[in-house]
Amino acid sequence: MESILSEQSATVDELVEACIQAFDEKGTLKDASLVRMFLMMHPWYIPSTDMAKKLVLKSQEESCSEELRTRICHLVKYWISEFPAEFNLNPELEEQIKDFKDLLTTEGNERQSQLIDLDSVPSYKWKRQVTQRVPSVSKKRKMSLLFDHLDSTELAEHLTFLEYKSFCKILFQDYHSFVMHGCTVDNPILERFITLFNSVSQWIQLMVLSKPTAPQRAAVVAHFIRVAQKLLQLQNFNTLMAVVGGLSNSSISRLKDTQSHISAETNKVFNNLIELVTSCGNYSQYRKRFSECSGFRFPILGVHLKDLIAVHVALPDWADKEKTQVNLAKTQQLYAILQELAVIQTTPPSIDSNTDLLNLLTVSAAYWIEHVEMVKLIQLFGVDQEQNWS
């Protein structure tokens, strides 16, 4: 198995065979590296239904021994356990495997049939729903759409929780669709996450611009810089990028009177945060800092999506013109990026969230974004001269 990973290319059939041989008859996996990589990346080269068909047909060949059929069943079992969403969200694939299980039972291969368990696959349909939440504000706590009642730590934690929950809804299929199309067409989950990121930036701008005086606007800017500091402590680089982007927008940076009310120390902190997430050197500072993180860490997803696109554009899927040899160099590079994102989803932040506050954050962002045209008019007639508004 190590030899095929060291090769530059291999056929789909060779990779399937290598994955089967990675298991012994007892189901012990000798080396998961190739198996997990191929199961995650195979849609680049062959639909899941076609791959399932290959496995079923192989198990039915006259030359297929009892031991080989058992190994195939262990591979299917591993596929289901590691990538359950693929079966839950693909009815045709699920039906194929159910038929395979029934066939094994009919042929008297009960022990092999029992290895395949689709009943334990959880539902992922709730993760694919894009819904609008309505807040149920607790009477025990007074809340405002301006969030004047929140300190920087609490706001940073709840923004982190909100975005992480949205991030966890993204499945491998979403990344694959994004790379293949180069955009979020027919990809509502990924599109919603990107929209949430953009909304946070715009929402922060509106929080600042909604204040009538320069000192008040400066206070909001300073508050969100403290939020950004806390986001860095939480190792939430994605929301940090959104906050820094919002505060760096020209609609705020050009407000000279407002800027004059922000302390030199606060400006120094903000400039350091800008340098951390700048695109210079292909986001070198961010990449170095992120690589040093342990435990919960939330990447700047846009950077890693650009990495996926860069690899996809730079390298061909196939190593030959006939499209029979999989380009393993590309497969492994894509897999390294996607596997890291998958691992991050399994490490949630240690945050005690308030459901009402999370809902209110969502509603607040939506409210202010709906009023963006009004704020643009305010900017046009008053911001440049730092006039007081009402």
Side-chain angles (χ1 to χ4, degrees):
M1 186 163 56
E2 291 181 0
S3 61
I4 200 168
L5 279 176
S6 63
E7 296 291 332
Q8 292 297 309
S9 64
T11 66
V12 170
D13 286 341
E14 288 171 343
L15 290 166
V16 170
E17 181 63 28
C19 288
I20 294 171
Q21 296 303 324
F23 293 87
D24 63 19
E25 192 176 3
K26 295 181 180 179
T28 302
L29 184 55
K30 305 164 191 174
D31 184 355
S33 55
L34 170 65
V35 178
R36 183 168 178 81
M37 182 188 76
F38 183 64
L39 289 177
M40 179 182 285
M41 301 303 300
H42 75 268
W44 250 266
Y45 315 102
I46 179 175
S48 295
T49 50
D50 287 354
M51 193 174 89
K53 185 177 180 180
K54 276 183 177 292
L55 294 173
V56 173
L57 290 175
K58 196 174 188 66
S59 73
Q60 297 303 303
E61 292 175 354
E62 289 186 15
S63 59
C64 183
S65 65
E66 186 78 9
E67 180 183 341
L68 180 59
R69 189 179 298 109
T70 300
R71 291 187 181 195
I72 292 172
C73 291
H74 280 300
L75 175 57
V76 173
K77 177 184 178 181
Y78 183 83
W79 188 7
I80 295 170
S81 67
E82 293 300 307
F83 301 95
E86 190 168 0
F87 294 84
N88 181 250
L89 299 174
N90 188 338
E92 186 179 351
L93 175 63
E94 183 183 30
E95 194 62 33
Q96 279 182 290
I97 300 303
K98 282 182 178 178
D99 289 344
F100 179 42
K101 179 181 175 68
D102 292 341
L103 179 62
L104 290 169
T105 302
T106 301
E107 293 178 342
N109 300 311
E110 187 65 33
R111 184 173 66 87
Q112 296 169 343
S113 175
Q114 288 178 352
L115 293 174
I116 302 172
D117 180 17
L118 285 167
D119 293 334
S120 62
V121 173
S123 174
Y124 286 81
K125 292 178 182 177
W126 66 272
K127 280 193 171 189
R128 316 312 289 163
Q129 294 174 349
V130 181
T131 57
Q132 181 67 45
R133 294 178 179 176
V134 178
S136 174
V137 181
S138 172
K139 295 181 180 179
K140 296 180 180 179
R141 185 173 185 185
K142 194 173 182 180
M143 295 187 179
S144 163
L145 286 179
L146 295 175
F147 294 93
D148 299 328
H149 59 287
L150 293 181
D151 62 25
S152 55
T153 297
E154 194 171 14
L155 184 52
E157 288 179 345
H158 280 76
L159 284 172
T160 295
F161 189 89
L162 185 67
E163 289 218 85
Y164 182 73
K165 284 297 184 183
S166 180
F167 175 66
C168 284
K169 288 189 174 186
I170 303 172
L171 302 177
F172 167 77
Q173 294 93 316
D174 299 314
Y175 296 122
H176 178 254
S177 173
F178 175 79
V179 173
M180 299 307 289
H181 291 97
C183 61
T184 56
V185 172
D186 297 325
N187 198 339
I189 301 301
L190 187 55
E191 184 175 23
R192 176 170 180 165
F193 180 84
I194 294 172
T195 299
L196 179 59
F197 174 92
N198 293 332
S199 295
V200 169
S201 289
Q202 295 173 32
W203 172 66
I204 289 170
Q205 295 169 45
L206 299 172
M207 289 290 101
V208 175
L209 298 174
S210 65
K211 294 297 184 180
T213 68
Q216 288 175 321
R217 292 192 288 275
V220 176
V221 171
H223 173 62
F224 277 109
I225 291 174
R226 291 191 295 274
V227 171
Q229 282 183 287
K230 182 59 183 177
L231 289 168
L232 181 57
Q233 293 173 17
L234 292 170
Q235 300 184 147
N236 177 356
F237 297 92
N238 195 72
T239 316
L240 170 62
M241 179 78 148
V243 173
V244 170
L247 294 176
S248 301
N249 188 271
S250 61
S251 64
I252 295 175
S253 61
R254 68 181 178 177
L255 304 181
K256 302 306 179 185
D257 195 13
T258 295
Q259 298 297 330
S260 69
H261 287 84
I262 301 173
S263 70
E265 182 60 31
T266 299
N267 274 321
K268 181 180 178 181
V269 168
F270 185 55
N271 288 332
N272 288 337
L273 293 172
I274 291 176
E275 289 181 11
L276 177 62
V277 297
T278 183
S279 61
C280 292
N282 194 18
Y283 297 93
S284 58
Q285 286 200 38
Y286 155 69
R287 292 182 190 277
K288 181 177 184 299
R289 185 70 174 261
F290 185 72
S291 67
E292 295 169 350
C293 293
S294 60
F296 169 76
R297 59 200 187 283
F298 195 173
I300 302 175
L301 186 60
V303 173
H304 300 274
L305 290 177
K306 288 179 180 178
D307 289 346
L308 288 172
I309 292 291
V311 173
H312 180 62
V313 171
L315 300 174
D317 291 342
W318 304 93
D320 61 334
K321 292 182 180 179
E322 292 74 25
K323 295 185 177 181
T324 60
Q325 295 284 327
V326 172
N327 185 350
L328 291 179
K330 176 176 182 174
T331 304
Q332 292 184 70
Q333 288 185 49
L334 289 172
Y335 173 72
I337 300 169
L338 292 168
Q339 176 63 6
E340 182 175 34
L341 294 175
V343 169
I344 290 168
Q345 288 186 336
T346 65
T347 311
S350 300
I351 293 172
D352 293 325
S353 62
N354 180 303
T355 302
D356 288 336
L357 180 52
L358 289 172
N359 290 341
L360 199 63
L361 273 170
T362 304
V363 171
S364 177
Y367 173 83
W368 287 107
I369 297 308
E370 285 176 2
H371 290 75
V372 66
E373 293 302 323
M374 177 188 71
V375 175
K376 285 180 180 177
L377 287 173
I378 292 174
Q379 288 178 268
L380 180 63
F381 292 108
V383 173
D384 289 336
Q385 291 75 35
E386 291 274 358
Q387 297 174 355
N388 289 347
W389 317 331
S390 59

